Amino acid sequence: MTDTSIPSADQSLDEETAPAAVADEAEAGSSQEKKAPAESDLFRQSEIAADYVEGLLDILDYDGDIDELVSGGRPVVEVVGAHLQNLVGQRGATLEALQELARLAVFRQTGTPSRLLLDVGGYRATRRKELAAVAKNAVEKVKEYGEPVRLEPMSAFERKCVHDVVNAMSGVESESEGVEPNRRIIVRPAD
């Protein structure tokens, strides 16, 4: 059976490559190494996504300024303006869906999956700060009681933020468990 789905860019941020996929590539004798896209290619992806998002804003009759950029080796589109909360949705669910649509628009034009990051109204920056506090609180509990702490289910973006904070601290480690949409992080004492 052939998988025709487009890989989610967030998977590469939060999950390891499946051993079967690695074995398949080795058996195929593929000596090609994947090269990181050039910055101009990444910027082109952000432009394509920005055009797509701008079209959606026009259809929805929302006002917002759109910035395209490349940050951390990823194409980024930021939408700034007032009254954009509906584009974020509850706990960022609408934002995640819009990001996937923008990634599909990029894929359609380039034929290459994108790791595009979409932000609306600074939601992701604010959420990163909240998640850093959640991660630090979990680490404190683990260090105090010596017991693992299970966090609430989170999106791949949210889990990545928590993993980054936990990995920067000594004496603890984190891992994800479960299946979307109920995938969560467990913080535990390091072995």
Side-chain angles (χ1 to χ4, degrees):
M1 179 178 203
T2 303
D3 181 11
T4 59
S5 63
I6 300 169
S8 170
D10 285 334
Q11 287 174 336
S12 65
L13 295 176
D14 191 50
E15 301 168 16
E16 295 180 26
T17 304
V22 173
D24 289 345
E25 286 180 23
E27 287 177 18
S30 174
S31 62
Q32 296 176 342
E33 291 186 25
K34 292 186 179 180
K35 296 180 182 176
E39 185 148 339
S40 62
D41 293 337
L42 295 175
F43 188 74
R44 176 71 182 126
Q45 290 180 18
S46 67
E47 288 178 323
I48 293 167
D51 289 345
Y52 179 80
V53 170
E54 185 175 15
L56 286 176
L57 291 177
D58 288 345
I59 291 168
L60 296 170
D61 197 27
Y62 282 7
D63 290 326
D65 293 328
I66 300 174
D67 295 325
E68 321 83 36
L69 54 130
V70 174
S71 176
R74 295 180 78 165
V76 177
V77 173
E78 296 176 347
V79 182
V80 182
H83 312 294
L84 296 174
Q85 187 57 35
N86 287 339
L87 295 178
V88 173
Q90 185 176 8
R91 293 201 54 207
T94 305
L95 175 58
E96 292 292 331
L98 291 174
Q99 177 175 276
E100 285 305 311
L101 290 172
R103 286 178 176 173
L104 285 172
V106 171
F107 180 77
R108 240 178 125 197
Q109 285 196 30
T110 66
T112 306
S114 177
R115 296 181 60 232
L116 173 82
L117 185 67
L118 175 65
D119 194 8
V120 174
Y123 173 80
R124 292 197 190 273
T126 302
R127 187 68 177 139
R128 270 190 196 96
K129 290 177 186 172
E130 293 169 356
L131 291 165
V134 167
K136 288 174 184 173
N137 186 36
V139 167
E140 287 174 12
K141 286 181 180 178
V142 168
K143 287 184 175 182
E144 183 176 344
Y145 300 109
E147 296 291 322
V149 172
R150 259 188 184 79
L151 301 177
E152 66 185 38
M154 298 178 185
S155 70
F157 162 77
E158 293 172 323
R159 290 190 310 270
K160 170 75 167 96
C161 293
V162 172
H163 283 305
D164 288 348
V165 171
V166 172
N167 289 337
M169 303 179 118
S170 62
V172 292
E173 61 187 14
S174 62
E175 71 175 335
S176 295
E177 72 170 10
V179 179
E180 296 291 354
N182 295 314
R183 195 155 168 80
R184 67 182 64 231
I185 290 179
I186 300 173
V187 181
R188 63 173 46 101
D191 294 330

